[in-house]
Amino acid sequence: VDPRRAMLKQLSEMVAKMGDLSSSADNAAAFAAVEEDEKELEERKNMRPVVKSIGKNITDLVTVLCSAQNAPLFLKFMAPPSPNALEAEEEKTMEEEEEEHNATPKPQKTKFSNAEEEAGPLSSLLVSCASTLPLQSPSYAGLTLGVDGHAPKPEYEHFALRCITSTTR
């Protein structure tokens, strides 16, 4: 068994369970029996039990994904090129620019990229889920924001930005 494939399968199952309405409805009954402190009780008083359950699932999943042990597995991504590398690439002499302007246009090569490598496995999974399972979009948005706020910094920061960038490509 390929460990990477097994990890991605496990991640998919965790994300699917997080926003699944049927399992959340089953768990909602458990919330009625659990005593909450007064502040939480007041904040959640007007929430539907299913929403509470999904919120709890998101919190639990964020804790697992952002732990020091799991963050390198689920949140890793290919870092974009440094600004200095881009500046060096863009600097051209006047002669090079004039040659380029007067030359016959060359067909541009299509650049292919692997979205999962660029954005990371969790980010690409959330983008895929949001586009194919729109009824659970609030769950995916909650998980995205939760991971963005709790991801170990600076290695894995800007998770939400990577999700948005991946979505708009």
Side-chain angles (χ1 to χ4, degrees), residues 15-16 18-22 24 48 50-51 54 58 126-142:
V15 170
M18 169 202 65
D20 180 43
L21 293 176
S22 62
S24 294
R48 293 182 307 160
V50 171
V51 174
I54 291 173
I58 290 171
L126 285 173
V127 168
S128 174
C129 287
S131 65
T132 57
L133 302 167
L135 293 178
Q136 295 182 16
S137 292
S139 300
Y140 306 133

Side-chain angles (χ1 to χ4, degrees), residues 66-68 71-80 118-120 147-148 150-159 162:
C66 294
S67 70
L73 295 171
F74 299 117
L75 304 181
K76 70 178 177 180
F77 65 99
M78 183 172 44
E118 285 186 23
V147 169
D148 190 66
H150 291 89
K153 310 240 182 312
E155 303 93 353
Y156 305 109
E157 65 185 345
H158 305 300
F159 180 77
R162 287 195 302 280

Side-chain angles (χ1 to χ4, degrees), residues 75-95:
L75 304 181
K76 70 178 177 180
F77 65 99
M78 183 172 44
S82 69
N84 294 340
L86 292 175
E87 287 175 10
E89 196 176 286
E90 290 179 5
E91 289 181 21
K92 297 179 182 177
T93 64
M94 286 289 252
E95 292 82 23

Side-chain angles (χ1 to χ4, degrees), residues 14-153:
M14 289 188 298
V15 170
K17 186 176 180 347
M18 169 202 65
D20 180 43
L21 293 176
S22 62
S23 66
S24 294
D26 294 341
N27 293 337
F31 275 108
V34 175
E35 289 185 31
E36 301 180 59
D37 66 25
E38 276 187 44
K39 184 178 179 188
E40 277 189 40
L41 188 60
E42 189 60 36
E43 289 174 359
R44 295 180 177 220
K45 187 166 73 173
N46 295 323
M47 281 185 166
R48 293 182 307 160
V50 171
V51 174
K52 291 179 191 178
S53 178
I54 291 173
K56 172 99 171 77
N57 291 346
I58 290 171
T59 302
D60 293 346
L61 189 53
V62 165
T63 302
V64 169
L65 295 172
C66 294
S67 70
Q69 180 183 1
N70 291 332
L73 295 171
F74 299 117
L75 304 181
K76 70 178 177 180
F77 65 99
M78 183 172 44
S82 69
N84 294 340
L86 292 175
E87 287 175 10
E89 196 176 286
E90 290 179 5
E91 289 181 21
K92 297 179 182 177
T93 64
M94 286 289 252
E95 292 82 23
E96 289 174 329
E97 285 185 21
E98 192 172 314
E99 277 181 37
E100 193 175 286
H101 179 69
N102 294 331
T104 306
K106 298 177 187 175
Q108 292 194 355
K109 293 182 180 178
T110 304
K111 292 183 180 179
F112 293 99
S113 63
N114 184 333
E116 186 178 316
E117 287 179 8
E118 285 186 23
L122 178 60
S123 176
S124 62
L125 176 65
L126 285 173
V127 168
S128 174
C129 287
S131 65
T132 57
L133 302 167
L135 293 178
Q136 295 182 16
S137 292
S139 300
Y140 306 133
L143 182 59
T144 301
L145 294 174
V147 169
D148 190 66
H150 291 89
K153 310 240 182 312

